[in-house]
Amino acid sequence: MIKQKDIKIKKIISKHKIQKKVCELAKRINEDYQKKDLVVLSVLSGSIVFCSDIIRKLDVNFKLNFIKVSSYAGKKSANEIRLEFPFNCDVSNKDVLVIEDIYDTGRTLSYLKKFLLSKNAKNITFCVLVDKKVKKCNKVKIKYCGFDVNNEFIVGYGLDFNEKFRGLPYIGVLGD
Ligand code: IMP
Ligand code: MG
């Protein structure tokens, strides 16, 4: 248990385990994306640390781009997703590897899948740092998954709570 300014964080995935997993995932991506026209799309802001570690292990050609979405309360009760800034990357006829922090309810990734298909991406593959054990509202296929975690609020390694804790080198659960 680590105390950060009176907030307790229980480490659940160490820096070492994360780095080992990054190597495993990057190895698989390298094998799968030889001779492909690859666009790596980092979903801001949570995936930034994970994505920057992954791309430094890639030995295939790729273009890096970013997308930021947010959910907001729409007129109906369910949250809706929208882009936070204009997307000007040409994904038409390209293989897109979306790098995301967490596959939680699945709303974000299913929105991104539809969005990228509407931009004529050739195919869309998801790489997530963690898959949370929750009932999914929208299921998508995750090809590359770092870790399965219980339905607890996690921080660190890019993941935040109110913009805090993104810089921790490990993943932890916020205590009470
Ligand atoms: P979705 O429910 O699958 O659409 O996930 C929405 C987003 O919520 C994820 O991409 C994360 O950015 C964020 N999120 C979900 N669970 C956590 C968490 O435990 N810690 C930090 N961010 C989270
Ligand atoms: Mg996110």
Side-chain angles (χ1 to χ4, degrees):
M1 188 75 81
I2 288 142
K3 262 189 148 185
Q4 284 237 346
K5 290 180 188 150
D6 295 330
I7 298 177
K8 289 178 192 155
I9 297 169
K10 188 177 79 184
K11 191 194 286 188
I12 56 165
I13 307 171
S14 69
K15 179 180 168 178
H16 176 74
K17 268 196 180 157
I18 295 171
Q19 293 309 321
K20 201 168 157 245
K21 188 62 78 175
V22 164
C23 291
E24 282 169 31
L25 294 174
K27 185 169 178 279
R28 286 175 52 204
I29 295 168
N30 281 329
E31 285 161 6
D32 295 346
Y33 284 92
Q34 296 291 331
K35 295 184 190 156
K36 296 250 169 95
D37 207 355
L38 177 62
V39 174
V40 172
L41 191 60
S42 167
V43 184
L44 297 174
S45 303
S47 81
I48 189 88
V49 182
F50 179 45
C51 183
S52 62
D53 277 350
I54 290 273
I55 60 172
R56 281 178 290 170
K57 303 271 177 217
L58 295 187
D59 61 15
V60 292
N61 289 328
F62 65 90
K63 280 189 184 155
L64 177 63
N65 226 296
F66 301 92
I67 195 163
K68 186 161 183 162
V69 294
S70 60
S71 54
Y72 67 104
K75 286 184 185 149
K76 293 178 187 152
S77 58
N79 280 6
E80 292 174 41
I81 311 273
R82 66 177 166 198
L83 289 188
E84 284 223 354
F85 55 73
F87 182 73
N88 56 9
C89 168
D90 178 18
V91 292
S92 166
N93 225 16
K94 306 241 165 48
D95 296 287
V96 182
L97 177 65
V98 176
I99 304 210
E100 169 65 315
D101 54 2
I102 302 184
Y103 176 37
D104 187 17
T105 65
R107 282 198 188 100
T108 305
L109 293 185
S110 83
Y111 169 87
L112 288 175
K113 187 175 174 185
K114 279 192 203 117
F115 176 77
L116 293 166
L117 283 174
S118 79
K119 300 282 174 196
N120 302 316
K122 187 158 110 194
N123 69 65
I124 299 141
T125 305
F126 293 109
C127 173
V128 300
L129 176 64
V130 300
D131 181 354
K132 259 198 193 182
K133 282 187 208 146
V134 297
K135 195 170 174 285
K136 307 296 185 197
C137 304
N138 301 81
K139 277 192 185 169
V140 295
K141 185 169 173 255
I142 307 292
K143 184 154 187 193
Y144 311 101
C145 176
F147 304 96
D148 291 317
V149 298
N150 291 329
N151 188 14
E152 294 176 298
F153 200 86
I154 55 175
V155 294
Y157 195 66
L159 309 172
D160 74 307
F161 171 63
N162 289 342
E163 295 300 326
K164 291 199 193 94
F165 311 113
R166 289 196 198 276
L168 295 176
Y170 55 85
I171 294 171
V173 174
L174 267 192
D176 304 319

